[in-house]
């Protein structure tokens, strides 16, 4: 019995020391004390073994002892196996900052890092802009009109955007801009995402573009000239980065700039002769100033001894000789302005380089730092905003659409996608909101930008697919009434641009994060590059201590012993403890993958993607918990918070299981699995009860529905385009009364109290009124209500020859019709025509 007590005590002491990463000295003291107790309690062999373990820990763990024999050997091995970091990769690693993502990499996240930066929301000025200007701009746009009638925003919309400063949100007020926070910029784009083209037109100039580059790197002369003109729309910018041979691998830019002398404004000056071919450049067809990335060379050494100067950025006015611009690409689904730019022997003076000659060769750093912020805002905000509209539209439609005598929102098969839409919209909203708040606090979240871009645009694709599914025939029929179809087809754009999701997930989230966010790896590599054995000793043994701690934390947490502190309570506290546990498991698996694969991990993209999935889901769970902690907590939100966290934690655990299934070293995988998943996978998908509750709440007039669709375009003013969300909101306010009348009328019909020929709801209401089953007031209400419902269910139809772009190719199968019938107009259009 004494042997067992000593053994258990030794294990407990070891786990406590490792969980808290107390260091080798604590381990030596702990083993020594328990070893002495072993001798005291008549277990001498265990006591001796523990004393020997203490001696081993001292020799291998105490700095004074290990530095003379162990550290040099480890340093020699590390130099041989450590992956080489290219200059390009180093720039990416050094760009941006590390915050909460680094805590998740540590295996013992400090929640105060996340929670201390409270989200104060928008200023009154910013909120007023979202409420008014964004509503006006949204009301000017109809997806069908933009996509099929004009292939552009209406002229009055362009003028309004310029007049109200939409293109200058990030430009400080001293230059004529709005000077908005990142949170406000995100809120604007979320509201404008009611229309894809509108969101893109506003988003791009405020994201990766000359404006942001000028603010951070431009000369004062460049700022004074361009920023006021960009702010008020006199200049429309674009940025030429990608081309036929440089897409996701933007560092492989083949476009060149040769330093030479040339003529400019009648004088010979030092400049750059450019040759380039760019593709997929948003706003290029209408841009007045082009930001251009190119590879700069100085073969004649006019600037110095370096010939290959590197990637450089310049500003080129539209009319510059040799530059061809104006043609268009046709982006799938949404015809926002996008096109090629070609330059042949374009000479520009040196002062057209962004930041001047001093910033030559700094283009990649400039782009990476701007991308890390822009990727956190533009497309993720579009995804979040789309999710809000999907909640409102899908919830509204499925409540008023009745089949089998019940609203389709009450059918369990429909409730599954409705709940998924609501959850993904909630997750996206929380993730975008709090990451933008980090940016406002001065962070430049590089790894989170990759998480947001890839994960939330994938959510967007799922949400719009689910919304299309529950709408059925309503949204597979294109026309002015279809408020989803064009957005559905354009979703592929968000998936592809600003770093294709496949590449971002497979290479960037973990591939960049493994070095950038890991507490020790970057320090180890820097020690290697600097040949600093003392720095290496600190880093490598800090790394070993962290890994050992993660073994202890992961195992004990999986067995039900919580690790780390959290600021939450109730279910939120349980989910936060799960984040702590999976953070330890993720950090351990990251070390296992790097340790067993070394530099070859770069090529194991499927494994890297799954590691990135774990980090992504833990990051998003954290954002949901922060939103829940700081938010208003409306009725029903607890169910949505639980669904969202359980959904994300299920995905995180599934990714961990797949990592263990696919680690190349099977012996290591078999050894690690009992530590990480000793009881197997334990997180189930959210329950059916949660699904049903959420689906009901977003398809009826509830506080939760109002909360999820706040700051969307919900108004309809005279002269504006039709607003389906506003109409659904109005119908849902009357739905409870309509539902009670449906029951009365349908029961009477089932009992045979109404004529069997009364098949339409309006007919049954009329017959029920005649039979005095409902009042005249109820009858009039039902007639008006059903008229509005039918109008929302109606789809467009067109004249036989209207859809053909080339009328000469029409085959008239039954001869030309005598009369052409126009597409069914909406109520507002009919009223205007009259």
């Amino acid at each position: 019995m004494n042997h067992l007590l000593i053994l258990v005590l030794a294990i407990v002491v070891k786990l406590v020391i490792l969980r808290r990463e107390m260091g080798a000295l604590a381990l030596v003291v702990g083993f020594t004390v328990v070893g002495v107790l072993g001798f005291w309690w008549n277990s001498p062999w265990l006591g001796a073994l523990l004393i020997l373990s203490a001696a081993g820990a001292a020799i291998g763990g105490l700095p004074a002892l290990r530095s003379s024999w162990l550290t040099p050997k480890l340093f020699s091995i590390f130099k041989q196996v450590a992956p080489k970091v290219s200059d390009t990769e180093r720039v990416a690693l050094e760009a941006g900052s590390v915050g909460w993502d680094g805590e998740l990499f540590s295996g013992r996240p400090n929640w105060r890092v996340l929670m201390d930066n409270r989200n104060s929301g928008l200023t009154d000025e910013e909120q007023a802009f979202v409420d008014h200007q964004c509503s006006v701009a949204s009301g000017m746009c109809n997806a069908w009109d933009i996509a099929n009638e004009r292939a552009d925003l209406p002229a009055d919309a362009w003028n309004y955007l310029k007049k109200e400063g939409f293109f200058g949100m990030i430009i400080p007020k001293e230059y004529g801009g709005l000077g908005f926070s990142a949170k406000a910029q995100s809120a604007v784009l979320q509201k404008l995402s009611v229309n894809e083209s509108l969101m893109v037109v506003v988003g791009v100039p405020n994201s990766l573009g000359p404006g942001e580059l000028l603010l951070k790197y431009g000369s004062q002369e460049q700022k004074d000239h361009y920023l006021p003109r960009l702010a008020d729309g006199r200049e429309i910018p674009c940025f030429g980065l990608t081309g036929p041979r440089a897409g996701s691998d933007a560092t492989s830019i083949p476009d060149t700039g040769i330093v030479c002398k040339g003529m400019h404004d009648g004088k010979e000056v030092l400049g750059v002769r450019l040759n380039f071919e760019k593709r997929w450049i948003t706003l290029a067809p209408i841009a007045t100033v082009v930001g251009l990335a190119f590879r700069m060379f100085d073969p004649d050494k006019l600037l110095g001894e370096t010939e290959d100067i590197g990637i450089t950025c310049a500003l080129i006015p539209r009319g510059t000789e040799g530059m061809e611009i104006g043609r268009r690409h046709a982006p799938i689904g949404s015809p926002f302005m996008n096109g090629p730019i070609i330059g042949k022997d374009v000479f520009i003076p040196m002062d057209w380089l962004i930041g001047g000659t001093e910033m030559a060769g700094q283009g990649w750093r400039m782009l990476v730092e701007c991308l890390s912020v822009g990727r956190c805002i533009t497309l993720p905000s579009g995804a979040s905003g789309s999710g809000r509209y999907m909640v409102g539209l899908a919830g509204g439609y499925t409540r008023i659409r009745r089949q089998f005598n019940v609203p389709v929102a009450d059918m369990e098969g429909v409730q599954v996608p409705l709940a998924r839409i609501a959850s993904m919209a909630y997750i996206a909203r929380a993730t975008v909101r709090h990451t933008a708040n980090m940016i406002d606090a001065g962070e430049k979240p590089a790894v989170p930008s990759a998480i947001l871009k890839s994960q939330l645009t994938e959510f967007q694709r799922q949400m719009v697919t689910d919304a299309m599914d529950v709408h059925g025939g309503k949204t597979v029929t294109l026309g002015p009434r279809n408020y989803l179809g064009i957005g559905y087809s354009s979703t592929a754009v968000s998936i592809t641009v600003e770093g294709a999701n496949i590449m971002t997930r497979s290479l960037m989230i973990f591939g960049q994060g493994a070095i950038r966010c890991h507490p020790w790896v970057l320090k180890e590599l820097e020690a290697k590059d600097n040949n600093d054995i003392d720095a290496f000793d600190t880093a490598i043994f800090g790394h070993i201590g962290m890994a050992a701690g993660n073994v202890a934390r992961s195992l004990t947490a999986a067995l039900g012993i919580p690790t780390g502190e959290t600021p939450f309570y109730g279910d939120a506290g349980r989910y936060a403890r799960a984040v702590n546990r999976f953070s330890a498991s993720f950090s351990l698996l990251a070390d296992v993958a790097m340790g067993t694969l070394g530099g070859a991990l770069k090529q194991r993209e499927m494994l890297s993607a799954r590691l990135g999935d774990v980090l992504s889901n833990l990051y998003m769970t954290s954002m949901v918990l922060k939103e829940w902690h700081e938010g208003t907590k409306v009725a029903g939100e607890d169910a949505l918070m639980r669904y969202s966290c359980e959904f994300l934690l299920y995905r995180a655990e599934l990714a961990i299981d797949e990592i263990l299934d696919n680690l190349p070293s099977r012996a290591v995988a078999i050894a690690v699995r009992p530590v990480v998943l000793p009881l197997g996978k334990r997180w189930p998908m959210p329950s059916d009860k949660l699904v049903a509750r959420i689906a009901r709440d977003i398809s009826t007039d509830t506080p939760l529905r109002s909360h999820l669709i706040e700051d969307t375009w919900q108004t309809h003013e005279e002269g504006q385009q039709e607003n389906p969300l506003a109409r659904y909101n109005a119908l849902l306010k009357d739905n409870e009364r309509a539902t009670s009348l449906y029951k009365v009328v349908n029961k009477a019909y089932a009992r045979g109290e109404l004529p069997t020929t009364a098949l339409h709801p309006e007919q049954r209401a009329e017959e029920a009124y005649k039979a005095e089953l409902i009042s005249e007031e109820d009858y009039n209400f039902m007639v008006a209500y059903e008229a509005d419902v039918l109008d929302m269910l109606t789809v467009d139809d067109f004249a036989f020859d209207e859809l053909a772009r080339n009328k000469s190719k029409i085959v008239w199968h039954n001869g030309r019709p005598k009369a052409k019938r126009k597409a069914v107009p909406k109520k507002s259009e009919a009223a205007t025509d009259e």
Side-chain angles (χ1 to χ4, degrees):
M1 187 65 180
N2 289 348
H3 303 314
L4 181 60
L5 287 174
I6 291 296
L7 182 61
V8 170
L9 182 59
I11 292 172
V12 169
V13 168
K14 181 178 180 179
L15 288 175
V16 169
I17 292 172
L18 292 180
R19 274 168 56 105
R20 298 185 179 183
E21 295 183 28
M22 298 169 67
L25 181 60
L27 206 57
V28 170
V29 172
F31 279 163
T32 300
V33 170
V34 179
V36 170
L37 287 176
F39 285 107
W40 186 273
W41 288 351
N42 298 320
S43 185
W45 63 275
L46 268 178
L49 183 61
L50 288 168
I51 295 295
L52 288 174
S53 298
I59 295 170
L62 295 179
L65 299 177
R66 73 190 183 217
S67 60
S68 61
W69 71 280
L70 182 56
T71 303
K73 293 181 180 180
L74 292 176
F75 198 29
S76 177
I77 295 171
F78 186 80
K79 287 180 178 180
Q80 298 175 29
V81 301
K84 294 190 69 173
V85 179
S86 68
D87 292 340
T88 299
E89 290 174 315
R90 187 170 296 280
V91 168
L93 291 172
E94 293 173 354
S97 58
V98 176
W100 179 244
D101 46 329
E103 294 295 323
L104 293 173
F105 248 99
S106 74
R108 51 188 305 192
N110 178 5
W111 287 88
R112 292 265 63 89
V113 171
L114 178 66
M115 305 306 293
D116 282 349
N117 181 25
R118 288 189 63 85
N119 193 324
S120 58
L122 306 184
T123 66
D124 291 343
E125 179 187 5
E126 291 170 339
Q127 188 62 58
F129 189 91
V130 172
D131 292 341
H132 177 66
Q133 279 89 339
C134 290
S135 293
V136 173
S138 297
M140 293 178 171
C141 300
N142 172 269
W144 177 262
D145 171 64
I146 291 172
N148 292 277
E149 301 295 335
R150 65 177 74 241
D152 192 6
L153 299 183
D156 59 346
W158 276 107
N159 293 333
Y160 186 79
L161 295 176
K162 293 176 181 180
K163 180 173 72 75
E164 296 297 332
F166 278 86
F167 298 136
M169 288 192 289
I170 66 170
I171 296 175
K173 290 185 177 181
E174 57 263 34
Y175 292 106
L178 297 178
F180 278 179
S181 64
K183 293 190 294 290
Q185 182 186 347
S186 175
V188 167
L189 296 179
Q190 289 184 65
K191 189 159 187 175
L192 299 186
S193 63
V194 67
N195 183 274
E196 176 78 9
S197 293
L198 178 62
M199 190 279 292
V200 170
V201 162
V202 173
V204 169
N206 289 285
S207 178
L208 175 61
E212 188 172 6
L213 292 171
L214 283 170
L215 278 172
K216 295 180 179 178
Y217 311 107
S219 67
Q220 192 59 50
E221 183 180 0
Q222 290 170 337
K223 291 179 183 178
D224 291 340
H225 175 75
Y226 277 112
L227 291 180
R229 300 170 66 85
L230 291 169
D232 62 19
R234 283 176 288 167
E235 300 277 11
I236 298 295
C238 71
F239 195 88
L241 176 60
T242 55
R245 289 185 169 87
S248 295
D249 182 12
T251 60
S252 64
I253 294 172
D255 308 296
T256 60
I258 307 299
V259 178
C260 62
K261 291 184 178 180
M263 299 301 295
H264 178 71
D265 288 342
K267 299 178 182 178
E268 185 180 64
V269 298
L270 186 64
V272 182
R273 191 166 300 282
L274 300 165
N275 285 278
F276 55 89
E277 184 177 2
K278 301 295 186 180
R279 291 289 185 272
W280 310 300
I281 310 305
T282 300
L283 296 184
I286 61 169
T288 61
V289 59
V290 177
L292 187 78
F294 60 92
R295 187 76 170 267
M296 187 169 169
F297 296 92
D298 185 11
D300 297 329
K301 299 184 179 180
L302 298 175
L303 295 178
E305 294 301 312
T306 304
E307 292 190 28
D308 185 355
I309 295 176
I311 295 175
T312 303
C313 298
L315 287 175
I316 308 176
R318 183 183 183 94
T320 301
E321 184 178 355
M323 184 167 69
E324 298 178 16
I325 183 172
R327 294 185 65 81
R328 296 181 65 173
H329 298 312
I332 184 170
S334 179
F336 60 87
M337 290 295 173
N338 188 278
I341 309 174
I342 298 174
K344 186 174 182 180
D345 292 332
V346 179
F347 181 80
I348 64 171
M350 280 295 176
D351 58 6
W352 285 12
L353 301 185
I354 296 179
T357 307
E358 293 180 2
M359 294 305 294
Q362 299 299 309
W364 182 237
R365 178 182 301 277
M366 295 159 65
L367 292 170
V368 168
E369 290 184 351
C370 287
L371 278 170
S372 68
V373 175
R375 264 200 306 233
C376 276
I377 300 294
T378 306
L379 292 177
S381 297
S384 176
S386 294
R388 297 190 189 201
Y389 286 105
M390 295 306 110
V391 168
L393 296 169
Y397 179 82
T398 55
R399 180 55 56 184
I400 70 163
R401 173 68 165 167
R402 298 175 67 88
Q403 293 287 276
F404 308 105
N405 222 22
V406 296
V408 298
D410 289 342
M411 297 178 178
E412 291 189 356
V414 173
Q415 289 174 345
V416 173
L418 284 180
R420 187 164 52 227
I421 292 170
S423 173
M424 288 184 169
Y426 186 65
I427 295 167
R429 167 182 170 157
T431 304
V432 169
R433 173 180 166 88
H434 293 291
T435 305
N437 193 52
M438 295 175 189
I439 295 171
D440 288 332
E443 294 187 35
K444 297 177 181 178
V447 173
S449 74
I451 292 174
L452 266 67
K453 193 278 167 181
S454 63
Q455 294 290 322
L456 299 190
T457 55
E458 292 292 344
F459 278 15
Q460 180 182 11
R461 172 153 60 182
Q462 183 63 61
M463 287 186 289
V464 72
T465 298
D466 284 338
M468 289 285 291
D469 286 350
V470 301
H471 276 81
K474 165 69 177 177
T475 52
V476 298
T477 307
L478 285 173
R481 293 169 172 269
N482 189 332
Y483 42 75
L484 287 183
I486 291 170
Y488 170 79
S489 59
S490 66
T491 303
V493 174
S494 299
I495 300 296
T496 304
V497 301
E498 288 195 22
N501 283 2
I502 289 177
M503 305 301 290
T504 301
R505 175 175 174 261
S506 301
L507 295 176
M508 292 189 63
I509 297 175
F510 180 76
Q512 183 178 347
I515 299 177
R516 186 74 182 94
C517 298
H518 195 287
W520 299 110
V521 169
L522 190 57
K523 295 176 182 178
E524 291 165 351
L525 292 173
E526 289 174 345
K528 177 194 70 128
D529 293 342
N530 297 327
N531 201 31
D532 187 341
I533 193 169
D534 292 333
F536 177 78
D537 178 85
T538 301
I540 192 66
F541 284 97
H543 192 160
I544 291 170
M546 185 190 80
N550 283 328
V551 169
R553 287 188 290 268
S554 184
L555 175 61
T556 54
L559 295 175
I561 303 172
T563 176
E565 298 180 354
T566 73
F568 308 106
Y569 54 88
D571 285 327
R574 180 165 63 94
Y575 302 138
R577 291 190 292 273
V579 170
N580 287 351
R581 172 201 162 188
F582 287 138
S583 170
S585 300
F586 163 73
S587 185
L588 175 61
L589 289 172
D591 282 333
V592 167
M594 289 187 286
T596 57
L597 289 168
L601 182 56
K602 284 185 178 181
Q603 284 74 50
R604 303 304 295 258
E605 294 176 20
M606 289 185 281
L607 194 63
S608 179
R610 293 186 181 102
L611 286 161
D613 289 344
V614 181
L615 179 62
S616 298
N617 284 289
L618 296 182
Y619 184 88
M620 291 188 289
T621 305
S622 308
M623 299 301 110
V624 170
L625 291 172
K626 190 173 193 294
E627 176 71 13
W628 169 253
H629 185 75
E630 295 181 2
T632 54
K633 298 183 181 63
V634 302
E637 189 178 350
D638 61 325
L640 191 54
M641 182 274 290
R642 288 162 52 203
Y643 181 110
S644 300
C645 289
E646 290 171 15
F647 169 70
L648 292 169
L649 292 169
Y650 168 85
R651 298 198 332 161
E653 189 177 51
L654 180 63
I656 288 172
D657 184 57
E658 291 176 350
I659 292 167
L660 292 169
D661 283 343
N662 290 279
L663 276 172
S665 175
R666 298 314 304 150
V668 172
I670 291 170
V672 172
R673 182 176 283 276
V675 174
V676 175
L677 296 175
L679 304 177
K681 291 185 294 181
R682 303 298 300 275
W683 279 98
M685 280 290 284
S687 70
D688 291 351
K689 288 184 178 179
L690 283 178
V691 169
R693 180 179 174 186
I694 293 167
R696 182 191 65 242
D697 280 353
I698 69 164
S699 63
T700 52
D701 184 26
T702 63
L704 181 62
R705 175 183 166 88
S706 298
H707 181 59
L708 289 177
I709 64 173
E710 68 182 2
D711 287 335
T712 55
W713 179 47
Q714 301 179 48
T715 57
H716 184 261
E717 306 295 336
E718 185 177 353
Q720 289 186 324
Q721 296 288 332
E722 185 74 20
N723 188 343
L725 182 55
R727 297 193 66 188
Y728 282 131
N729 288 344
L731 284 167
L732 292 188
K733 290 187 181 299
D734 290 333
N735 183 258
E736 185 175 354
R737 180 181 179 185
T739 298
S740 64
L741 292 172
Y742 280 135
K743 290 179 180 179
V744 171
V745 172
N746 290 337
K747 283 183 179 180
Y749 183 81
R751 291 194 297 263
E753 297 175 5
L754 304 179
T756 56
T757 55
L759 301 177
H760 290 289
E762 299 90 343
Q763 293 173 323
R764 292 184 185 180
E766 182 179 5
E767 295 299 334
Y769 169 58
K770 291 178 180 178
E772 299 184 350
L773 297 175
I774 62 174
S775 67
E776 181 178 4
E777 181 183 355
D778 287 338
Y779 166 64
N780 290 331
F781 165 79
M782 285 300 293
V783 169
Y785 182 83
E786 281 300 327
D788 285 339
V789 167
L790 183 59
D791 191 54
M792 294 305 294
L793 301 181
T794 299
V795 298
D796 298 287
D797 60 82
F798 300 88
F800 185 81
D801 60 343
E802 189 169 345
L803 299 180
R805 292 181 63 185
N806 188 338
K807 308 298 184 186
S808 68
K809 294 185 177 182
I810 295 173
V811 178
W812 295 95
H813 296 271
N814 299 299
R816 292 177 180 266
K818 293 181 179 180
K820 294 183 179 181
R821 180 179 169 220
K822 292 183 179 179
V824 177
K826 298 181 183 179
K827 274 192 169 184
S828 60
E829 294 170 341
T832 302
D833 291 343
E834 290 174 2

